[in-house]
Amino acid sequence: EAQLILTGGNADDVSGRTEAAVMRDILIDRGVTEDQMILEDQAASTKDNFRNTAQIIDPDRPVVLISSNYHMDRAVQTAKRSGFSDIMRLPAPSSFLSYGANVMSEVVLELNELTLKQ
């Protein structure tokens, strides 16, 4: 009965499909029906993901956030800044070799966000 909001608008250079469309196709291949999914394919950043999603659903509703394990902390903080308060985490594992580089990228992105606020 869950409603899935698939968000991400950064289109792939090769296929032209957005992140949301790629997720939709993967979920359809795994038996999820299209009527269970809402595509939000305009977001170009995590901040946009939650701002746009807050226009689709009430941010006071409980949500399950699914994202990469290295991205989870920043995604949750961004969700909270967008008004979401009841957030359950469901991190997807990353390969051991890429985890460190990705965490560093998340730190840099968060520092940039903090710098822009000043």
Side-chain angles (χ1 to χ4, degrees):
E1 293 182 30
Q3 190 72 48
L4 306 172
I5 300 175
L6 311 176
T7 183
N10 298 316
D12 179 90
D13 290 338
V14 176
S15 70
R17 294 185 310 158
T18 63
E19 294 166 331
V22 170
M23 287 184 269
R24 178 201 57 216
D25 294 346
I26 291 169
L27 290 170
I28 288 171
D29 287 345
R30 289 184 167 86
V32 178
T33 60
E34 269 196 83
D35 63 330
Q36 290 178 274
M37 297 180 261
I38 298 171
L39 265 62
E40 186 293 295
D41 59 1
Q42 300 303 304
S45 68
T46 304
K47 188 175 182 178
D48 291 346
N49 293 146
F50 290 106
R51 184 180 322 125
N52 296 350
T53 300
Q55 295 177 13
I56 297 170
I57 64 165
D58 180 355
D60 290 329
R61 290 181 56 190
V63 296
V64 178
L65 177 56
I66 303 170
S67 190
S68 304
N69 56 358
Y70 63 82
H71 182 248
M72 187 59 69
D73 288 337
R74 189 169 68 85
V76 167
Q77 291 307 312
T78 304
K80 287 179 179 178
R81 286 187 211 121
S82 297
F84 291 88
S85 57
D86 191 355
I87 304 165
M88 186 172 86
R89 299 168 180 232
L90 189 58
S94 301
S95 74
F96 177 75
L97 295 176
S98 68
Y99 185 83
N102 288 322
V103 167
M104 183 56 81
S105 174
E106 292 294 309
V107 169
V108 169
L109 288 169
E110 185 63 20
L111 288 174
N112 284 341
E113 185 72 27
L114 292 172
T115 302
L116 290 174
K117 286 183 179 180
Q118 296 178 3

Short mmCIF file of all heavy atoms in Angstrom, two decimals, residues 46 50 65 67-81 87 89 91 99 103 106 110:
data_model
loop_
_atom_site.label_atom_id
_atom_site.label_comp_id
_atom_site.label_asym_id
_atom_site.label_seq_id
_atom_site.Cartn_x
_atom_site.Cartn_y
_atom_site.Cartn_z
N THR A 46 19.68 17.37 -3.99
CA THR A 46 18.97 16.81 -2.83
C THR A 46 18.00 17.83 -2.26
O THR A 46 16.87 17.50 -1.88
CB THR A 46 19.99 16.37 -1.76
OG1 THR A 46 20.90 15.44 -2.35
CG2 THR A 46 19.30 15.72 -0.58
N PHE A 50 13.67 17.32 -1.91
CA PHE A 50 12.75 17.45 -0.78
C PHE A 50 11.81 18.64 -0.94
O PHE A 50 10.65 18.56 -0.52
CB PHE A 50 13.53 17.50 0.53
CG PHE A 50 14.14 16.18 0.84
CD1 PHE A 50 15.49 15.98 0.70
CD2 PHE A 50 13.35 15.11 1.23
CE1 PHE A 50 16.07 14.74 0.96
CE2 PHE A 50 13.90 13.87 1.50
CZ PHE A 50 15.27 13.68 1.36
N LEU A 65 13.08 7.10 3.94
CA LEU A 65 14.07 7.66 3.02
C LEU A 65 15.03 6.55 2.61
O LEU A 65 15.69 5.94 3.46
CB LEU A 65 14.83 8.80 3.70
CG LEU A 65 15.95 9.46 2.92
CD1 LEU A 65 15.44 10.00 1.59
CD2 LEU A 65 16.56 10.57 3.73
N SER A 67 18.28 5.83 0.36
CA SER A 67 19.38 6.47 -0.36
C SER A 67 20.65 5.69 -0.06
O SER A 67 20.65 4.77 0.77
CB SER A 67 19.53 7.93 0.10
OG SER A 67 20.44 8.61 -0.74
N SER A 68 21.73 6.06 -0.70
CA SER A 68 23.02 5.42 -0.44
C SER A 68 23.43 5.65 1.00
O SER A 68 23.14 6.70 1.58
CB SER A 68 24.10 6.02 -1.35
OG SER A 68 23.73 5.89 -2.70
N ASN A 69 24.13 4.68 1.57
CA ASN A 69 24.53 4.81 2.97
C ASN A 69 25.41 6.03 3.19
O ASN A 69 25.28 6.70 4.21
CB ASN A 69 25.21 3.53 3.47
CG ASN A 69 26.39 3.08 2.65
OD1 ASN A 69 26.73 3.68 1.64
ND2 ASN A 69 27.01 2.00 3.08
N TYR A 70 26.26 6.37 2.25
CA TYR A 70 27.13 7.53 2.41
C TYR A 70 26.37 8.85 2.30
O TYR A 70 26.80 9.87 2.78
CB TYR A 70 28.29 7.50 1.41
CG TYR A 70 27.87 7.56 -0.04
CD1 TYR A 70 27.57 8.77 -0.64
CD2 TYR A 70 27.77 6.41 -0.79
CE1 TYR A 70 27.17 8.83 -1.96
CE2 TYR A 70 27.38 6.46 -2.12
CZ TYR A 70 27.08 7.67 -2.70
OH TYR A 70 26.68 7.73 -4.00
N HIS A 71 25.21 8.83 1.66
CA HIS A 71 24.43 10.03 1.42
C HIS A 71 23.35 10.24 2.48
O HIS A 71 22.76 11.32 2.59
CB HIS A 71 23.80 9.93 0.03
CG HIS A 71 23.00 11.12 -0.39
ND1 HIS A 71 21.64 11.07 -0.54
CD2 HIS A 71 23.37 12.39 -0.69
CE1 HIS A 71 21.19 12.27 -0.93
NE2 HIS A 71 22.22 13.08 -1.02
N MET A 72 23.10 9.22 3.28
CA MET A 72 21.94 9.22 4.17
C MET A 72 21.94 10.38 5.16
O MET A 72 20.92 11.05 5.33
CB MET A 72 21.85 7.88 4.91
CG MET A 72 20.60 7.73 5.73
SD MET A 72 19.04 7.88 4.80
CE MET A 72 19.06 6.40 3.82
N ASP A 73 23.04 10.63 5.85
CA ASP A 73 23.04 11.70 6.87
C ASP A 73 22.71 13.05 6.27
O ASP A 73 21.88 13.79 6.80
CB ASP A 73 24.39 11.76 7.60
CG ASP A 73 24.60 10.59 8.54
OD1 ASP A 73 23.60 9.98 8.97
OD2 ASP A 73 25.76 10.28 8.84
N ARG A 74 23.33 13.38 5.15
CA ARG A 74 23.06 14.67 4.52
C ARG A 74 21.64 14.73 3.97
O ARG A 74 20.95 15.75 4.08
CB ARG A 74 24.07 14.96 3.40
CG ARG A 74 23.96 16.39 2.86
CD ARG A 74 25.11 16.74 1.95
NE ARG A 74 25.10 16.00 0.72
CZ ARG A 74 24.41 16.35 -0.37
NH1 ARG A 74 23.67 17.43 -0.37
NH2 ARG A 74 24.47 15.61 -1.46
N ALA A 75 21.16 13.61 3.44
CA ALA A 75 19.79 13.59 2.93
C ALA A 75 18.78 13.81 4.05
O ALA A 75 17.81 14.56 3.89
CB ALA A 75 19.52 12.26 2.21
N VAL A 76 18.99 13.17 5.19
CA VAL A 76 18.08 13.35 6.32
C VAL A 76 18.10 14.80 6.80
O VAL A 76 17.05 15.40 7.06
CB VAL A 76 18.41 12.38 7.47
CG1 VAL A 76 17.68 12.76 8.75
CG2 VAL A 76 18.08 10.95 7.07
N GLN A 77 19.28 15.39 6.91
CA GLN A 77 19.37 16.79 7.33
C GLN A 77 18.67 17.71 6.33
O GLN A 77 17.98 18.66 6.71
CB GLN A 77 20.84 17.21 7.51
CG GLN A 77 21.52 16.54 8.67
CD GLN A 77 20.75 16.72 9.97
OE1 GLN A 77 20.34 17.83 10.32
NE2 GLN A 77 20.53 15.63 10.68
N THR A 78 18.83 17.43 5.06
CA THR A 78 18.17 18.23 4.03
C THR A 78 16.65 18.05 4.11
O THR A 78 15.89 19.02 3.97
CB THR A 78 18.68 17.84 2.63
OG1 THR A 78 20.11 17.97 2.61
CG2 THR A 78 18.09 18.72 1.54
N ALA A 79 16.20 16.84 4.36
CA ALA A 79 14.76 16.58 4.51
C ALA A 79 14.20 17.36 5.69
O ALA A 79 13.13 17.97 5.59
CB ALA A 79 14.52 15.08 4.68
N LYS A 80 14.92 17.36 6.80
CA LYS A 80 14.47 18.09 7.98
C LYS A 80 14.38 19.59 7.69
O LYS A 80 13.43 20.25 8.11
CB LYS A 80 15.39 17.82 9.16
CG LYS A 80 15.22 16.43 9.73
CD LYS A 80 16.17 16.18 10.89
CE LYS A 80 15.96 14.78 11.46
NZ LYS A 80 16.90 14.50 12.56
N ARG A 81 15.35 20.13 6.97
CA ARG A 81 15.33 21.55 6.61
C ARG A 81 14.14 21.88 5.70
O ARG A 81 13.70 23.02 5.64
CB ARG A 81 16.62 21.95 5.92
CG ARG A 81 17.80 22.06 6.84
CD ARG A 81 19.02 22.62 6.10
NE ARG A 81 20.21 22.06 6.71
CZ ARG A 81 21.13 21.34 6.08
NH1 ARG A 81 21.03 21.11 4.77
NH2 ARG A 81 22.17 20.86 6.72
N ILE A 87 11.14 10.70 9.86
CA ILE A 87 11.93 10.09 8.80
C ILE A 87 12.53 8.78 9.29
O ILE A 87 13.26 8.76 10.28
CB ILE A 87 13.07 11.03 8.35
CG1 ILE A 87 12.51 12.39 7.93
CG2 ILE A 87 13.88 10.39 7.23
CD1 ILE A 87 13.57 13.47 7.83
N ARG A 89 15.10 5.78 8.18
CA ARG A 89 16.22 5.59 7.25
C ARG A 89 16.27 4.16 6.72
O ARG A 89 16.13 3.21 7.48
CB ARG A 89 17.54 5.86 7.96
CG ARG A 89 17.69 7.26 8.49
CD ARG A 89 18.89 7.33 9.42
NE ARG A 89 19.05 8.67 9.95
CZ ARG A 89 20.19 9.36 9.89
NH1 ARG A 89 21.27 8.82 9.36
NH2 ARG A 89 20.25 10.57 10.37
N PRO A 91 19.16 2.83 4.42
CA PRO A 91 20.33 3.06 3.57
C PRO A 91 20.67 1.86 2.69
O PRO A 91 20.58 0.71 3.11
CB PRO A 91 21.45 3.32 4.59
CG PRO A 91 21.00 2.63 5.83
CD PRO A 91 19.50 2.65 5.82
N TYR A 99 33.21 3.99 -0.81
CA TYR A 99 32.56 4.62 0.33
C TYR A 99 33.31 5.87 0.81
O TYR A 99 32.72 6.93 0.99
CB TYR A 99 32.42 3.62 1.49
CG TYR A 99 31.65 4.18 2.67
CD1 TYR A 99 30.27 4.16 2.67
CD2 TYR A 99 32.31 4.74 3.75
CE1 TYR A 99 29.55 4.67 3.73
CE2 TYR A 99 31.59 5.26 4.82
CZ TYR A 99 30.23 5.22 4.80
OH TYR A 99 29.52 5.74 5.85
N VAL A 103 31.87 9.66 0.87
CA VAL A 103 31.67 10.38 2.13
C VAL A 103 32.35 11.74 2.06
O VAL A 103 31.79 12.76 2.47
CB VAL A 103 32.18 9.56 3.34
CG1 VAL A 103 32.27 10.42 4.59
CG2 VAL A 103 31.28 8.36 3.59
N GLU A 106 30.27 14.09 0.13
CA GLU A 106 29.12 14.54 0.93
C GLU A 106 29.54 15.64 1.90
O GLU A 106 28.81 16.61 2.09
CB GLU A 106 28.51 13.36 1.69
CG GLU A 106 27.83 12.34 0.82
CD GLU A 106 26.61 12.89 0.12
OE1 GLU A 106 25.75 13.48 0.78
OE2 GLU A 106 26.52 12.73 -1.11
N GLU A 110 28.08 19.45 1.92
CA GLU A 110 27.46 20.02 3.12
C GLU A 110 28.17 21.32 3.51
O GLU A 110 27.53 22.30 3.89
CB GLU A 110 27.48 19.03 4.28
CG GLU A 110 26.75 19.50 5.50
CD GLU A 110 25.25 19.71 5.31
OE1 GLU A 110 24.65 19.17 4.37
OE2 GLU A 110 24.66 20.46 6.13
#
